[in-house]
Structures are given as C-alpha cells and as structure tokens.
Amino acid sequence: MSLSTLTRPDVAAASGRGRVVVFWSAAVALPLIFLGVFFAWPVAVMIAKGFVVDGQLDLSGFADVFSRPRTWRIVGLTIAQATLGTVLSVLLGVPGAYVLYRHTFRGRTLVRAFVTVPFVLPTVVVGVAFRSLLVSGGPLGFLHLDGTFAAIVAALVFFNYAVVVRAVGGLWERLDSRAEQAARALGASPWTAFRTVTLPQLTPAIASAASLAFLFCATAFGTVLVLGGLQFGTIETEIWIQTTQFLDLRAAAVLSVVQLVVVAGTLIVAGRARSRREQALGLTLPSASVRPLRLRRPAGMPPGDGHALTLVATAVTALVVLLLALPLVNLVVRSLRTGDGWGLDHYTALGGWGTTGGSLSVTVWQATVNSLRVALDATMIALVVGGLVALVVSRRPRRAVGRRAVAGLDALFMLPLGVSAVTVGFGFLLSMHHPFGLPVDLRTSPLLVPIAQAVVAVPLVVRVVLPVLRAIDPRLREAAATLGATPGRVLRTVDLSIAGRSLGLAVGFAFAASLGEFGATSFLARPDRPTLPVVIFRLIGRPGPESYGMALAASVVLAVLTAGIVAACERLRAPGAGGEW
Amino acid sequence: MNGLSLQDVVVRYGAVPAVDGVSLDVAPGSVVALLGPSGCGKSSLLRAVAGLEPLAEGTVSWDGASLAGVPVHRRGFGLMFQDGQLFAHRTVGGNVAYGLPARSAARVAELLELVGLSGYEDRGIATLSGGERQRVALARALAPAPRLLLLDEPLSALDRALRERLAVDLRAALVTTGTTAVFVTHDQDEAFAVADRVAVMAAGRLLQVDAPADLWVRPATREVASFLGYEAFVPLDSPAAAPLRDALDVSPSGATLALAEGAFVVGRTGVAKGTVRGVSSRRGRSEVRVDVDGIGVVTALGPVGGRWTVGDIVELGVEPDALAVLDA
C-alpha cells in the first residue's frame, strides 16, 4: 500500500466512488449499445427502406398501404385474434390459477409443470401440432377447423394459458384469504366476495398477464404462419409475406410501424398494471392460504359455502388440461404412424437428407446440434445483457429524473418482446452489410443468429430476474454496508446471490426462446446451417407424407428438447423465486 | 337457550384436534373473551363459530337453532381480524358500507362517529394509521348490526399505549350498541378490560370460564393460575407457607397456594426473609427478584426509589390480594 493512501484517506474514498460510477456507467452503457446496434439500428434501417426514396423522406407509403383493403383486414384480424385469445386465456386461466395455486392435491407439481409446456414450445411446433390434430383424417378432423380463425385462436390460447395461470396464481397463492372472509362475514355470498374483494386484489396481476398475452397473440408468427395459410394472418406474418413474397418493403415498413404502435400501447398498459401491483395487498406465506382440493363437500361445511365454485373451477381446469394434452399426445402418436402401421421410421429418416421434394442440405440431427449451439450462445448473451438491465432497473434512485430514466429503460428493453422479429431479422440483413460504413460484412458471421435470438430473449431474462431483485429488502443492503461491505461486495453478496436463485428459470426461458425462435432466424440462418424450427418449416412446405412425417418427428424432438431443458432449469430455482412467472 | 351455544365442539386440522370438545354459552348482550397462549386453539374455535372452519364434531347454535347448514354469509355474525383486513381498493366509507344496503350514508356516518372517525368517509385506506385502521374495521364489522361479533386479536398489532386506550373504546362501543361479542386474545389485561366473562383455553380445551375478578381470585387450576401470571406455587401445609396462611387467615390443608407478582412486599413489617437476586423498575415501582426459603425466586414489589444490591437480605411483608388458594 502506498503512503499517499495512508495519509490521504479522501483519495482512497474518491477512487472507490470512482469505481462505483464506472461500474454503473458500464452496466447502463453495455445493454444500451447492444440494443442500439442490434435492435434499434436494424429496425430503423428496415423502416427507412420503406420511407426514404432517393434520399427523400416519403410518407406516401402510409396512404398507399392504408388504402388497401388487405391491410385493414390484416389489422382487424390481428386485433380480433389477440383480443379473443387474451379474453379466453384470462377466462380459463383465472379458474386454473385458483385450482393450481390455491389448492393442494396429488400431482399438482406435475400438472403445473405440464401447463407450462405449451408456453415454452416453439411456435412452429404448436402450429404443426394443431394442424396434425385438425386436418381431415386427424382426430378432430370432423370439426372442419383446419385453416380457420377458430383454430388460430385455439392455438393462441393453448400458448398463453400458462402466462395467465402463472402470473395470477403466483399472486393468488400469497393473497391473505382473511379479506375475503371479512366480506363473507359482512353478508357477501362466496361469488359476491370473489367479485368485490378477491377480483379487485387480483386485477393488477390479471391486467399484467393479459397485456403480456395480448402482446404474444398480436405478434404471433410461427403458429399463425403454419395454421393460417394465405387466408388468415397477423401484422407479423403480413410483414413476412410483403417482404419475402411481394418484395414490397414499403408496405412492410408501414406495417412494422403499425405493430410498433400497438406494442408500445400494450406495454404502457402493462407497465401501469405492474407498478400498481401489490399495492397494500395483504400477502401471506402460501402455506397459510392454500387448502386441499376436495371433490366431495367436506363434512361440516354447509351448502352454499363456495364448494360449488371450487367444483366448477376444477372441472374447467381439468377440461383445459385435457385439451392442452390433446395436440401434444396426438403429435407424438402421429409421428409414430408410418404408411403401413406404427414404427420409428420417421425418426430414423431424421438422419437422412430427405429423398422427395429436394434435399434439405443438412440432416435434422445436424440442424438440432446447430440449434443447440446457437441457443447456448444466445442464452449467454441474453443473460449478460438482461442481467445488467435487471440490475440497473431494480435500483430506486433518489431523484425523480433518475427514477423516470430507470422506468424508461425498463420499458425500452421490453420492446423486442413485441417488435416484429421478422423486422429485426430483415433489418439485420440490410444493416449488417458494412454496418455504420465499416468495411465488414457481419451477415456471414456465425454470431449473427445468436445475437438476433438474444435480442428476443433479453426481455424474458429481465422479467424473470427483475421481480426477484426488486423484492430484496433495501435494509439487507444497508445491513451489509454497516457490516463493512464495499458497494461491490454488497452487490455480490446480496443482490447477485439472491438473484442467482432465479437464474435457473431465466436460463430456461432464454434457452427455450432462442431454441424456438423462428421469425428472425428464418431470415438469418444460412442455408447450410439452418436451425431446427427452420428445417421443420421447410419440411412442412414439401409435398409427400414422408416429409410431413419427418416434420412431425422433428417437432417432437424439438418439443422434448425444449421442455426438458426448461424443466431441468426450473428445478434449479428456489421456491417462489420466479417473480411474476 | 338464547344467544350463542357451543356443544362439545371439535375442530381438526388433519388428524390433530385444534379444538377438543369445547362447550360454552354466550348470553345476548354479553362479551366473552377467549384467553390463551398462541396455538391453544382459540382462533380456530372463533373461525368455527364464524363458519370458516368445518366442525369435526359437536354443534354451534344460535337461539337454540343449529347453524350446521348455514354458510358464513347467512349467519349474521360479524368478524374482525388482528390486522383489520380492510379492502385497500375501497375508501373508508366504502369499507364501512360494504355490509350495508345501498344508500346507507347516514348509517356509515353514525358508525364512524361511534369509533371516533367522523368525516373520514372519503379517506383512502393507505392514509390511515394502525389505530385508525382498526377503528374502521370495527365500524365495518358493527355496521350491519351483527347478532354476534367475533373479534380475532383485534388489538394485538398495535403498540401498548394505543392498545390500552383502544381496549376501553372497544368496550364502550360494544356496550353502546348492545353487541354480543366473542373476543380472542392472548393478553389478559386486554381480556379483563373488554370482557364480561373470560374463558381460559389451553391445548384445545376450556379450562375455566368466569368474570375477570373471580378468575383472578379463584383460578381453578395451577395451569390457569400460571397463565394469569401466578409465578410460584407452594403446598398450603408447608412450613414456608405459614406467614401466607396467616395473611389469608386460612388453616393448613392439602390445597396449593399460588403467589402472583407482588405477593411479597419489600420494606413492610417483615414476616419473612429473602435474598435479593436482581432489581428492575417498572413504571416507577421497584420490582425485586427475591429468593425465599421453601418457596423459590419470586417477584416482590418495593417502594419507589428503593435501593438494594444483589445478595442483600430483605424483610418481606405479605399482600393477600396477590395470593390465591387452588383447590386442585
């Protein structure tokens, strides 16, 4: 130690403070630069392509695109699909949350995990699973739902049910039931007490879950592309069609802006709902409010005491769980059916190049390995960037300006969740050729696909880690500081060690998101190195029962891989550490 | 039988009985306190009366009619919790009006006045102090004029001074409205301040039901006595009990003598001797821990400003009001 630091303690203190400033500046700057270069810039380039003609700003595209009936049909369809999908998810998800989080029964852990499976399934797989269920000749073929609006809405609900159940259930299981009991004692029937007391307490969680579900529904791509065909679509699939089929970049740019507006609006609503969350709610430990689930009315419980409501919720949930299982079971069963009976033929075929309708250029197994490698890189990037964002956003600066900046940063990093992945992917192609005038072509870089997928996965990491960081009692940090811990040590021993418990889930979701990512990857994956969802989509597009069988088998492989990884990651986390997920 | 009547009530959580065969009558207009240590089953009993816990055995009846088939909201029993459980999404007025028919503004105002919160109708719940919240909770519970009010440790979450003041106000509000009430608490001062009769519970059973003064003077068992604060027990016929027998003017027998804090007084004409083990002060009075031969370490009271050091031998007088003879 030098003499000067011994005699000049203020210098040492100043350099300590300097390190803190440098750390936080880097924590803010790194994610901002990442988001700027790999999200804002490509999206801006993509949108500019539509609006800048010969160096002149030309907004006539808006008038042109909005004068097409097709545009209005697509916008209407998007909003109708998302609204219906969200409303149904909430109507089914609230009873589900009640049964799965307010009650205990044998196999509850299993059912809870199962309900989450559709949420982490790649959208392409969901599309394939629903198609194989609904096509003529499928188990539900007699309903003639293949290629209909109803089929798309059903697939969206399939995907978003878990979002509502997990978010609402997480709050509901900690809600003090005595407020409801007080209402009952004041003369409210079980239903009235639920409507006037419990429901208002749950409203923030429901609103937050609904806005997320709306976001996922409105920007659905893979599922809708597989199920909707040419007749139905969302703004997102329309951007894809305009870009790749009609090469109409102006229309794609206008639609991207429209989607951005829809997404930003939804995010604002979601942010409001989240900030009002847990407003003076009476919360307890889950053990205090959770009861065993009984199908028969317990002895001594009078009629009219709410048992009927529990029964209805249980019946609804049981039906939903069955319906959720249907496409998945059917997918597995159909993948095992061969031309003349049953067998693993389709799975064996995954090792080959495909014989009919042109070569795949890689085997499905090679694509699987490639997918895993890409997802691993994407997860690492998403964890670093998302972790830093969560850390910064979890701070509560003293000054109002600081608090507003933190809130702005929070909203900013939610944007990739809703901005068209297709726009991002195509924007990458346009902007990464000599980016910022630099003489490099990033389009051939093997890191391009992982980076694009990380952009999509970052919001998920933030949403999982942030609630855990926010829930840390500030007095814990103060206690650590008074015990002599430096700011760095406080961060390491308090924030990081507690947030680390939610890391398993964050890794799982990030991994699942990038494994299943299709919108951006379909643009960026090089033909000789496709990912699994891209290969599945190619297989569906090819004629012949053999290709279709291979698509089914590949979907099962992708589904099992994703669900297995998420399940393994979720086992790693401490109970209750998942925040709103 | 008018009012509330409990017959052999058993409440079980799994196989463990939380309430184990309790029978109790509460006459209309009276206030009964269920007093016991935490975990003794008093809250479970209260919840069973409200209809929130199913009865494993026994009956709960009102005016002679069994309530077995009557759900919570049709019992006409009010319920007030330790932490109020106010509805955060409603105003003070909205909370009080919850159990009332529409357009009951006059009744809401009347009740807020009763609990000393006139004009609070439009205040938000978050703006209230802990004491104010409990007052609103009381007003809300009293608003529909319940035929029985059940209070589950309504004052326990408040600080001591507030608790003592609110206990008096609570008693006044119950008497003014003529409300029949069952009041659960673990604090005997609170029970004695609010209730007409006190029922002492331990391990799921009722040990004794009596008026506060009778309970203090004649605790039925050693268990009740120790819960009330009697700290030492000696056989009535032991030699060490002689000065105590003289003070009470009773003859030796097989009964047990219970000594509360202050049974011995330091500095009065001495009838016994003790060794000082420690001195503390509460509200100005000195409390001297003394070791008395044949009895053990007890808390004796001393005059304000007394000075003793550990090891001193002091003369002790006897205060008969702090002694009780147990039959068992």
Side-chain angles (χ1 to χ4, degrees):
Chain A
M1 181 175 281
S2 74
L3 191 69
S4 68
T5 49
L6 281 176
T7 52
R8 299 267 308 273
D10 53 322
V11 172
S15 88
R17 211 172 305 130
R19 261 198 301 268
V20 172
V21 171
V22 167
F23 172 80
W24 285 111
S25 306
V28 174
L30 187 72
L32 274 181
I33 291 172
F34 178 82
L35 195 74
V37 172
F38 296 115
F39 177 69
W41 169 244
V43 170
V45 167
M46 163 80 184
I47 289 175
K49 268 277 188 270
F51 296 138
V52 182
V53 179
D54 297 332
Q56 296 283 314
L57 188 65
D58 175 15
L59 290 179
S60 62
F62 272 100
D64 177 31
V65 172
F66 277 108
S67 66
R68 301 178 196 169
R70 184 185 167 89
T71 307
W72 287 106
R73 200 174 61 84
I74 290 292
V75 170
L77 269 176
T78 304
I79 291 174
Q81 271 167 29
T83 309
L84 257 178
T86 306
V87 168
L88 284 175
S89 298
V90 169
L91 285 182
L92 296 174
V94 170
Y98 176 68
V99 173
L100 295 180
Y101 286 82
R102 281 302 268 208
H103 292 92
T104 52
F105 53 88
R106 258 172 189 238
R108 183 181 69 161
T109 320
L110 204 69
V111 178
R112 276 198 199 174
F114 172 74
V115 161
T116 315
V117 168
F119 175 69
V120 300
L121 279 189
T123 53
V124 174
V125 173
V126 174
V128 171
F130 267 72
R131 283 277 323 256
S132 76
L133 192 64
L134 299 174
V135 285
S136 57
L140 296 185
F142 62 92
L143 293 173
H144 301 294
L145 285 175
D146 189 23
T148 62
F149 183 71
I152 295 176
V153 171
L156 292 176
V157 174
F158 175 81
F159 182 73
N160 284 298
Y161 177 72
V163 175
V164 177
V165 169
R166 289 184 76 119
V168 176
L171 177 62
W172 207 340
E173 87 178 327
R174 291 181 301 140
L175 207 58
D176 196 331
S177 48
R178 289 178 302 166
E180 191 173 332
Q181 291 167 1
R184 295 293 312 285
L186 289 166
S189 70
W191 173 247
T192 310
F194 170 73
R195 207 168 36 81
T196 57
V197 175
T198 310
L199 203 55
Q201 289 180 319
L202 292 176
T203 300
I206 294 177
S208 154
S211 51
L212 265 181
F214 188 88
L215 211 59
F216 290 141
C217 290
T219 60
F221 177 62
T223 315
V224 180
L225 199 62
V226 174
L227 283 177
L230 290 175
Q231 201 189 349
F232 296 102
T234 54
I235 300 178
E236 180 105 11
T237 59
E238 184 65 10
I239 294 171
W240 186 80
I241 290 172
Q242 292 294 345
T243 312
T244 60
Q245 314 288 306
F246 302 150
L247 299 175
D248 186 348
L249 291 187
R250 211 164 51 144
V254 171
L255 289 168
S256 291
V257 173
V258 171
Q259 193 176 41
L260 200 64
V261 169
V262 172
V263 166
T266 316
L267 285 177
I268 289 170
V269 174
R272 291 244 171 92
R274 263 202 309 280
S275 68
R276 271 186 305 154
R277 186 148 188 202
E278 302 188 359
Q279 33 147 4
L281 285 182
L283 296 181
T284 59
L285 290 176
S287 54
S289 57
V290 174
R291 288 293 172 92
L293 184 67
R294 290 212 181 91
L295 292 185
R296 229 182 302 160
R297 186 147 49 86
M301 183 182 186
D305 223 6
H307 188 63
L309 285 180
T310 308
L311 280 187
V312 170
T314 309
V316 168
T317 307
L319 187 68
V320 169
V321 169
L322 274 181
L323 289 177
L324 291 182
L326 205 55
L328 299 175
V329 172
N330 179 59
L331 180 71
V332 175
V333 170
R334 299 270 292 203
S335 74
L336 293 171
R337 182 179 294 167
T338 60
D340 49 355
W342 302 90
L344 291 170
D345 304 17
H346 297 313
Y347 290 88
T348 342
L350 297 184
W353 300 78
T355 46
T356 51
S359 166
L360 278 175
S361 76
V362 292
T363 69
V364 171
W365 296 128
Q366 282 167 338
T368 307
V369 171
N370 188 38
S371 268
L372 284 173
R373 217 177 268 152
V374 166
L376 199 63
D377 291 344
T379 305
M380 294 301 293
I381 300 171
L383 271 187
V384 171
V385 175
L388 284 177
V389 173
L391 200 57
V392 171
V393 173
S394 70
R395 302 291 116 167
R396 293 177 204 279
R398 270 172 223 272
R399 280 189 298 172
V401 185
R403 280 199 299 274
R404 268 201 294 277
V406 158
L409 204 63
D410 188 11
L412 200 65
F413 277 90
M414 284 294 278
L415 273 181
L417 205 58
V419 169
S420 160
V422 175
T423 307
V424 176
F426 199 68
F428 262 52
L429 279 190
L430 295 176
S431 64
M432 294 302 148
H433 175 60
H434 301 317
F436 306 106
L438 298 173
V440 285
D441 190 355
L442 281 179
R443 289 178 303 177
T444 53
S445 161
L447 266 181
L448 199 58
V449 175
I451 287 176
Q453 295 184 348
V455 168
V456 179
V458 164
L460 289 174
V461 174
V462 174
R463 286 270 78 82
V464 172
V465 178
L466 183 58
V468 181
L469 282 177
R470 280 214 173 125
I472 297 174
D473 193 330
R475 284 172 300 178
L476 218 53
R477 294 188 192 109
E478 289 161 13
T482 55
L483 290 169
T486 59
R489 181 141 180 260
V490 171
L491 205 62
R492 209 173 56 244
T493 53
V494 178
D495 292 283
L496 290 188
S497 71
I498 291 178
R501 285 189 242 150
S502 66
L503 219 56
L505 192 66
V507 168
F509 277 166
F511 211 93
S514 54
L515 259 187
E517 212 291 322
F518 177 59
T521 313
S522 64
F523 279 95
L524 300 175
R526 302 202 3 231
D528 56 331
R529 246 188 271 153
T531 61
L532 201 44
V534 173
V535 166
I536 292 173
F537 189 69
R538 278 192 209 160
L539 282 170
I540 309 172
R542 297 197 317 183
E546 192 206 339
S547 299
Y548 186 59
M550 277 175 73
L552 293 175
S555 295
V556 171
V557 170
L558 183 52
V560 169
L561 211 56
T562 315
I565 285 168
V566 172
C569 291
E570 192 155 10
R571 294 204 80 129
L572 293 177
R573 76 168 167 154
E580 60 194 79
W581 295 90
Chain B
M1 170 67 209
N2 282 337
L4 179 73
S5 177
L6 310 180
Q7 288 290 326
D8 304 317
V9 169
V10 177
V11 178
R12 285 204 184 92
Y13 295 120
V16 190
V19 177
D20 196 3
V22 167
S23 299
L24 177 70
D25 292 322
V26 180
S30 72
V31 179
V32 169
L34 288 175
L35 175 66
S38 46
C40 73
K42 55 192 192 303
S43 284
S44 301
L45 181 58
L46 193 82
R47 293 171 59 81
V49 172
L52 294 168
E53 299 293 341
L55 296 186
E57 282 166 48
T59 56
V60 174
S61 50
W62 181 263
D63 287 353
S66 167
L67 296 173
V70 185
V72 182
H73 59 289
R74 298 202 196 285
R75 294 197 174 192
F77 292 175
L79 187 56
M80 183 178 162
F81 290 107
Q82 176 177 350
D83 36 13
Q85 294 297 333
L86 296 178
F87 307 137
H89 57 288
R90 288 167 168 257
T91 59
V92 167
N95 268 275
V96 178
Y98 188 89
L100 296 172
R103 282 185 290 281
S104 309
R107 175 84 177 137
V108 171
E110 184 188 325
L111 279 150
L112 285 177
E113 192 186 341
L114 177 75
V115 298
L117 294 178
S118 294
Y120 271 54
E121 278 89 342
D122 296 326
R123 291 273 293 267
I125 298 305
T127 67
L128 302 179
S129 71
E132 287 170 337
R133 282 175 200 222
Q134 285 310 82
R135 288 171 189 269
V136 174
L138 179 63
R140 183 180 73 179
L142 285 173
R147 46 188 188 171
L148 173 70
L149 181 60
L150 305 165
L151 304 110
D152 192 357
E153 308 238 4
L155 307 176
S156 299
L158 307 173
D159 62 56
R160 185 200 185 100
L162 191 57
R163 196 163 65 217
E164 287 175 2
R165 200 165 69 237
L166 263 185
V168 175
D169 292 353
L170 178 61
R171 165 92 193 159
L174 293 176
V175 170
T176 312
T177 52
T179 305
T180 314
V182 176
F183 176 94
V184 161
T185 179
H186 63 263
D187 182 320
Q188 52 161 313
D189 293 334
E190 211 173 286
F192 285 18
V194 176
D196 301 310
R197 288 193 307 147
V198 176
V200 182
M201 267 186 93
R205 294 176 168 279
L206 267 194
L207 301 179
Q208 189 178 0
V209 187
D210 253 319
D214 296 338
L215 194 65
W216 179 254
V217 178
R218 281 189 296 278
T221 62
R222 187 169 167 153
E223 206 177 353
V224 174
S226 10
F227 183 70
L228 293 177
Y230 286 89
E231 55 180 2
F233 300 89
V234 283
L236 198 52
D237 50 10
S238 73
L244 306 170
R245 282 201 303 269
D246 294 346
L248 280 176
D249 196 18
V250 292
S251 45
S253 70
T256 305
L257 195 60
L259 290 79
E261 287 184 12
F264 288 110
V265 182
V266 186
R268 281 197 201 163
T269 33
V271 291
K273 278 199 171 71
T275 314
V276 175
R277 293 277 180 243
V279 183
S280 61
S281 151
R282 191 160 75 182
R283 296 186 180 181
R285 297 205 62 179
S286 303
E287 291 185 342
V288 190
R289 302 284 293 157
V290 287
D291 192 348
V292 183
D293 252 0
I295 294 178
V297 179
V298 292
T299 307
L301 294 180
V304 176
R307 302 229 185 281
W308 301 274
T309 45
V310 172
D312 284 357
I313 309 279
V314 288
E315 300 248 324
L316 301 168
V318 175
E319 171 55 57
D321 282 353
L323 295 172
V325 179
L326 307 181
D327 299 324

